[in-house]
Each structure stands twice: as structure tokens, then as C-alpha cells.
Amino acid sequence: MNMRVSFDFLVSGFTVGCSISRDNFSLSSFDDSLLSTQSLAVSVITIITSILVFRYWRSLKYAAVSYEIPIPKQCSEEWTGDILDNPSIRTTTDNNINCYCPANGKFLGEVTPASPEDIDNAIAKSAVAQKQWARTSFEERKRVLRTLQKYILSNRDIIIKAACLDSGKTRIDASLGEILVLVEKIKWILGYGESALKPERRSVSWPLMCYKKAEVRYEPLGVVCACVSWNYPFHNLLCPIVSSIFAGNGIIVKGSENTAWSSHYFISIVKGALEACGHNSDLVESITCWPDVAPHLTSHSGISHITFIGSRPVAHHVAASASKSLIPLCIELGGKDAAIILDDIPNVNILSSILMRGVFQSASQNCVGIERVIALPKVYPRLVNILEERIKLLRPGSILDGDEVDCGAMISSAGFDKLEEWIHDAVQKGAKCLVGGKRYLHPKHPKGHYFSPTLLIDVTPDMLIAQNETFAPVFVLMKAGDVHDAIDIANGTEFGLGGSVFGRNKRDLQKVVQEMKSGMVSVNDFGVYYLNQSLPFGGVKGSGYGRFAGEEGLRAVCNLKAVCEDIFPGLLSTAIPPVVDYPIRNGDRGLNFTTGLIELAYGETWKRTFGGLWKLVTNL
């Protein structure tokens, strides 16, 4: 009697047959399959291990580097400083820039302004460094950004103090506006910058270009320039640097004379990151000069692109200057941003907190700050009651105070007369000033530049303060009859940077988003379109043109090179048919040939398409 039993084993996903007999027990097929499975497992483990080792090696090769740079003595706890009698960036004794803290008038130091020769030298040095930098890989550029980010996070308290000393803002305002947004930008570029700048495939025309492939390549421009404002001295200086160097450019940054002291420290942070990673720090240069010298920079033939952040009057000069060398511009000029409040807002207390931050962040010296709050009739009186009490409690002051402060100083008192004039004009025309309304003489810091946190209600579009950017701690509250009226009021200025809308009705919310004439809109929030660095930043109308941030901003500092090439080079490529080759032998046949070509490619009916093919063939 011979009994045989057959069954299968499932080993590592493979079915292995095994036959067992009472007289003959054989496992040869099982042994072969098991050996094959073991070999496969070893191969898989080897591949995975190799990948992990490679990634570990790569992470070490491109990891952030630690470095140190000298810290300004003014940022130490021991520094006290001398208070100037008449704080001003200009002196009567020499041409130097007189740097002081606008919160208390303490002298920070002097900066020698750049001359035309200094500008020429800076551009020349950056151009030399850029030629080497343009050949670096994205991983090498990311390493510099990681190194920069590591330094910022490790030294944020010192950076915050330097920004506060030079601009007068509070530590919280600096932490949010100087550090948070910048490191978010670096994070976004590290995660998405390379994919944004990779060659992008484009469609080709069928059938004329069926043997071609097309793409857009994003290449460095060379040396670019950024002229930035004083309101965020660290963020405004470094943001264009981060984008520009990641795109492979060198950059000259012109900071404001008002924050010249901190610019030198902040630029050394970037240079330190470049040097720590083995690159030429001449790639990034900082220029601070008086306005009469600035046109030498903005018209320089060595500059390939300019990003300007500032006021409209200065923008006109920059644009005129740049036109001499046909330098392309991205211009951001601030705005008169409106926040529209619908009647169905669920929680006015939460809303008031968002509005307070939106208005008073950085003492309202914020290009996307809320300059007008336009509320519908039902919610309007509730807002007035809450806001009046909250704004009365705001405490102006300096970071050097031991006490808590809410609002920092203004960069200068130069605009106080006009600001008080606008408030007076509004009151004369029917508005009510419930809080503040005038400059503030700080009891501890009489040399500081302070304006009282102000609440102005019942403001109407015909008032000067409703049309002009205040850039000051003034909460302007306006009443609208309905959603249509609110949109008309919001669009009733020459500005169009950002805006926001608060409410629950989706149809009304989307109506505001669609009809508000601005470059950006936040729904039930304030200014988050900038914290989200994947979005482009910029405005319309009198708020400028062009975009920075997001893919659009990164590509704006690139040469967008269109490339079209053969799919099968040497096998299928363009050849000029004899009938249209120079010199033309028969004009009629040549014209019929080109007519047939056009009708073949673009004929709207089959008859015309085949007719075109016939003309093409018969006139070859």
C-alpha cells in the first residue's frame, strides 16, 4: 500500500508545493524554493540598508552647521546707552546716519552711508560670488538655509532685542512679525522650493510639434536687489535674501536708514551661514545710503531685478530710476486694508481679539494691518462697547521697561502732525474719538516717539483718515448698511493690498472674497495669507504690482527660459521643405503649401483638415 499526501506551504508570500509519501519522503522542491526566498530576502534587506545608509550620509553631508558671530554690545544686559537730546537719524556735524532707539531716544551708534563707489564694489563682489553659487545644487543651498534657520532659532532672543531696539516694537510683536514668518518662509522653501524651480514640462502643438518636447527652466537672474522698509528690520531684510539665494542669485539689500544699525548685524547672520557652509559670503551684500545716492543702485546695469517695499512717493522714484536700465520691478506699497464684519458673527469677544491684533500689531506699522473695520448695523454697537474698554487698557512703552507693555513706539514723530490733522478732520465731519487721538508723552521715555492708541468710530468714506494709510495705532470703525455697501466702502480707496471678512453665511463670505479688489483676502482671520508661505503676496491698484512669496515669488527672481527640443534627436527633427526654402523657387506653390499646413493643423472641420493635407502633399 502506497499512500501519498500533497499540500502547499505559504512561505514569505510564495506558495511552495510539498509531496509526502510513506515510502518516499522528498523535500527537494521545498528546499529550492526556500533558498530562493532567502536570497530574495537578503537582496531586499541589502537594498533597504543601502538606502538608509545613503540617506544618513546625505543628512550628515547637508546638515545644518553651527557658527557664531559677534553680538552687538547694545543687546547685552549691561548696556545702558545715552539718551539723545534731539533724536534724529540726521546730524548737523557729518554725513553719517545717526542710529537711535525710537522707544526711548537712546543712541545706538553711527553708520557710514554707502557712496556710489561702495555700491559698485558691492555689486561687483556679489556678481563674482554668484557665478560660483549658480553652480551649487539645491541640497547645498538648503544646507545654508538650514544653517541660517538653526542660528535664528538658537539666537532668537538676541535678534528680537536688536529688532526692538532699532524699530521700537515690543518683544511679542517682534517674535510674531520678525521670527515666526521668516522661519515659516525658510521651512516652506526647504520643503517645496526645489519642486517649484524644477524644469516644468509644457504641452506642444499637435500635429505640428508632435516630435518636440517643451519645458520652462527657472534659472538664476544674476545679482538682484531688494529695497526694504524699516517696520520689520529683520524679516524684511532676510526674506528677499532667502528667496533670492535659493534661486541661485546674488543679492544687494538696501535697508532703511531708520534701521541702519540692526541691518549690519542681521546681514552678518546670513554671511555667517554662507561661510559656515563653505561659500563666498560676498554673495549677499547690505547697502545703507541716503536717498540722493539710492538711484545709483536702482538704475545700476549690474542689477537684474528689484523688489521694493515702501511708500508710493518713493516707489515712483524707484520705478523711474529702474527704467533707465530696464530693470524689472516687484513693488509692494502698503494699503488701507479693510475688515468687513457681517452681522452673523458668532462670537464678538473672539472677533475683537483678532481685530485688536490686526490693528495694533507692531504699533500698527504693518503693511497688511487692518486700517479700517467695516461693520454691519447689528454688530456695530456691540463692537464699540467692547473695543472702547479694551483700547483704553493698552499700555505704550519700551522693551527696556520692567513693566508689561502692549504698544511699542513709532519709528519717528515726523508724521504726527498729519495724523492729528486727519483725526481732527474726521471729528469735524461727524466721527467720534472715544480713546486717544493725539501723540503721547511717555513719562519714562519723553524722547520716545509714541502715539496714543486711538479708537475713532462713525468714520465715513469722505474723511481723510478713511482714505489715507495711517501706519499708526488708530482703530478706524465704519458702519455699512449691508454687504453690498460694505464691499463698496472697502473698495473705495486707491489701495488694494489685503483684506478680511468675518461671518458665517457662506454666500456672503464668498461674495466679499470675490468682489473685494485686493491681492489677498483672509476669511474669519487676519493676515494669514502671508503666514501661509505657499501663497503669493502682493496687491493691486495703488498697493503695487508683482508678487513675492509662494512659487510665484520664487520664480519672479528667476529667468523663465522656454526650451523646445527634439524628442528623438538625430532621428526626427525639423527640415525646411524645398518649396519654402530660400531662395523661394515658386511663390504660388509655397503659399499653397503654407496654407495647407495651417488648414491641416487648425481646420475646424474634417473637410478643411483633409483639404489642407491635400494642399500640403500636392505642393511639396
Side-chain angles (χ1 to χ4, degrees):
M1 180 178 174
N2 187 14
M3 184 178 68
R4 179 178 295 273
V5 179
S6 296
F7 55 94
D8 294 331
F9 287 107
L10 188 65
V11 181
S12 299
F14 293 92
T15 303
V16 180
C18 180
S19 178
I20 302 177
S21 170
R22 188 179 64 181
D23 299 328
N24 181 24
F25 181 73
S26 174
L27 291 175
S28 59
S29 60
F30 175 78
D31 291 340
D32 291 342
S33 298
L34 183 59
L35 181 61
S36 175
T37 302
Q38 290 174 339
S39 299
L40 179 63
V42 170
S43 299
V44 170
I45 292 172
T46 301
I47 292 171
I48 293 174
T49 303
S50 300
I51 292 173
L52 292 176
V53 170
F54 174 75
R55 287 186 174 180
Y56 178 70
W57 170 82
R58 191 181 182 89
S59 68
L60 291 179
K61 183 179 179 181
Y62 297 112
V65 181
S66 297
Y67 67 98
E68 297 293 335
I69 59 171
I71 304 300
K73 64 180 181 180
Q74 295 87 340
C75 293
S76 68
E77 295 296 329
E78 295 77 23
W79 182 78
T80 54
D82 298 322
I83 298 176
L84 299 173
D85 291 332
N86 296 296
S88 172
I89 59 173
R90 286 190 178 272
T91 66
T92 57
T93 56
D94 55 37
N95 193 45
N96 287 345
I97 300 170
N98 201 43
C99 306
Y100 68 94
C101 176
N104 51 34
K106 288 190 175 183
F107 179 68
L108 295 173
E110 286 189 344
V111 172
T112 302
S115 65
E117 292 75 20
D118 294 328
I119 293 172
D120 291 340
N121 291 335
I123 294 173
K125 289 195 298 181
S126 182
V128 171
Q130 190 273 333
K131 290 180 180 178
Q132 298 174 329
W133 179 253
R135 294 192 289 269
T136 58
S137 66
F138 282 121
E139 284 300 331
E140 290 176 286
R141 298 173 194 177
K142 287 179 184 179
R143 188 189 191 200
V144 172
L145 296 190
R146 291 190 192 101
T147 298
L148 177 62
Q149 184 179 49
K150 180 179 180 179
Y151 183 91
I152 292 170
L153 295 176
S154 300
N155 296 273
R156 60 185 178 276
D157 290 340
I158 297 171
I159 294 170
I160 285 172
K161 187 168 185 178
C164 291
L165 286 173
D166 216 8
S167 66
K169 58 169 55 76
T170 68
R171 294 181 193 272
I172 292 176
D173 288 345
S175 182
L176 291 172
E178 307 281 7
I179 304 296
L180 175 65
V181 181
L182 177 60
V183 294
E184 175 61 29
K185 185 181 190 72
I186 295 174
K187 177 185 175 183
W188 181 84
I189 290 180
L190 288 173
Y192 302 98
E194 183 175 354
S195 62
L197 297 184
K198 279 187 174 180
E200 182 182 359
R201 291 295 296 268
R202 296 293 177 91
S203 62
V204 295
S205 175
W206 181 269
L208 296 184
M209 306 288 287
C210 63
Y211 61 99
K212 297 284 188 180
K213 59 182 178 180
E215 67 180 19
V216 177
R217 297 179 186 176
Y218 302 97
E219 299 180 346
L221 284 172
V223 178
V224 299
C225 172
C227 301
V228 298
S229 57
W230 45 261
N231 55 328
Y232 289 99
F234 182 64
H235 163 272
N236 287 356
L237 198 76
L238 266 70
C239 266
I241 292 175
V242 168
S243 297
S244 298
I245 66 174
F246 187 79
N249 298 305
I251 182 169
I252 310 297
V253 187
K254 180 198 171 297
S256 169
E257 311 91 273
N258 288 295
T259 51
W261 171 76
S262 62
S263 293
H264 284 257
Y265 167 53
F266 294 152
I267 207 72
S268 70
I269 294 174
V270 182
K271 285 179 169 289
L274 285 164
E275 291 173 359
C277 295
H279 302 290
N280 188 344
S281 64
D282 290 343
L283 184 72
V284 177
E285 294 290 339
S286 174
I287 291 293
T288 307
C289 63
W290 292 116
D292 60 323
V293 177
H296 187 77
L297 173 64
T298 53
S299 64
H300 202 288
S301 60
I303 297 297
S304 300
H305 181 276
I306 296 175
T307 298
F308 174 79
I309 303 173
S311 67
R312 289 186 68 187
V314 177
H316 286 292
H317 293 294
V318 172
S321 177
S323 68
K324 296 176 182 178
S325 296
L326 298 179
I327 304 172
L329 291 168
C330 171
I331 292 183
E332 192 269 288
L333 305 177
K336 192 69 180 172
D337 289 10
I340 293 177
I341 316 301
L342 305 180
D343 274 333
D344 62 353
I345 190 73
N347 192 316
V348 179
N349 287 316
I350 293 176
L351 169 68
S352 67
S353 293
I354 296 175
L355 295 178
M356 291 280 286
R357 174 56 61 182
V359 172
F360 294 110
Q361 161 75 22
S362 197
S364 305
Q365 299 166 115
N366 190 5
C367 60
V368 290
I370 298 175
E371 288 257 342
R372 296 171 296 158
V373 176
I374 305 168
L376 269 58
K378 291 181 181 179
V379 73
Y380 188 90
R382 296 163 62 197
L383 275 175
V384 172
N385 293 334
I386 293 174
L387 291 169
E388 182 177 6
E389 295 305 314
R390 294 192 66 169
I391 294 174
K392 283 180 179 178
L393 297 175
L394 294 181
R395 300 155 296 181
S398 166
I399 66 161
L400 299 180
D401 287 336
D403 302 328
E404 295 291 337
V405 296
D406 300 298
C407 284
M410 305 287 286
I411 194 69
S412 167
S413 59
F416 285 1
D417 288 343
K418 181 172 288 187
L419 189 57
E420 289 175 341
E421 177 188 331
W422 290 344
I423 293 172
H424 178 72
D425 168 78
V427 172
Q428 289 293 104
K429 293 177 179 177
K432 299 181 182 67
C433 185
L434 301 185
V435 184
K438 58 184 179 181
R439 66 194 73 195
Y440 175 69
L441 182 63
H442 198 287
K444 290 185 179 179
H445 309 295
K447 300 297 183 180
H449 307 312
Y450 294 95
F451 199 89
S452 300
T454 297
L455 175 59
L456 198 62
I457 69 169
D458 297 343
V459 175
T460 54
D462 62 310
M463 300 173 183
L464 292 173
I465 204 161
Q467 296 296 321
N468 293 281
E469 184 179 30
T470 61
F471 233 53
V474 180
F475 196 116
V476 173
L477 187 58
M478 309 175 75
K479 184 186 293 183
D482 54 28
V483 176
H484 299 280
D485 187 30
I487 294 171
D488 288 341
I489 294 172
N491 291 336
T493 73
E494 59 187 11
F495 297 99
L497 185 57
S500 52
V501 56
F502 296 82
R504 285 191 296 184
N505 186 290
K506 291 184 179 180
R507 185 176 62 182
D508 288 342
L509 290 172
Q510 290 307 311
K511 180 178 179 62
V512 173
V513 171
Q514 183 174 348
E515 297 186 15
M516 184 178 282
K517 292 182 172 63
S518 64
M520 303 162 291
V521 181
S522 288
V523 178
N524 287 317
D525 213 327
F526 137 75
V528 289
Y529 38 70
Y530 190 50
L531 182 59
N532 188 343
Q533 282 290 310
S534 66
L535 293 174
F537 184 94
V540 296
K541 301 196 296 184
S543 290
Y545 52 84
R547 296 293 185 269
F548 56 85
E551 290 186 1
E552 294 80 1
L554 203 53
R555 292 172 175 177
V557 288
C558 293
N559 172 35
L560 278 62
K561 181 178 285 184
V563 178
C564 192
E565 55 187 327
D566 294 329
I567 298 175
F568 306 107
L571 183 63
L572 189 60
S573 59
T574 298
I576 304 298
V579 70
V580 291
D581 197 11
Y582 290 115
I584 303 297
R585 301 171 187 175
N586 187 319
D588 290 338
R589 287 188 63 195
L591 181 60
N592 287 334
F593 177 85
T594 57
T595 300
L597 182 68
I598 293 170
E599 290 183 348
L600 171 65
Y602 308 107
E604 73 279 12
T605 64
W606 284 107
K607 180 179 179 181
R608 174 156 288 181
T609 300
F610 282 112
L613 178 61
W614 176 255
K615 289 179 183 178
L616 197 68
V617 172
T618 57
N619 286 280
L620 279 173

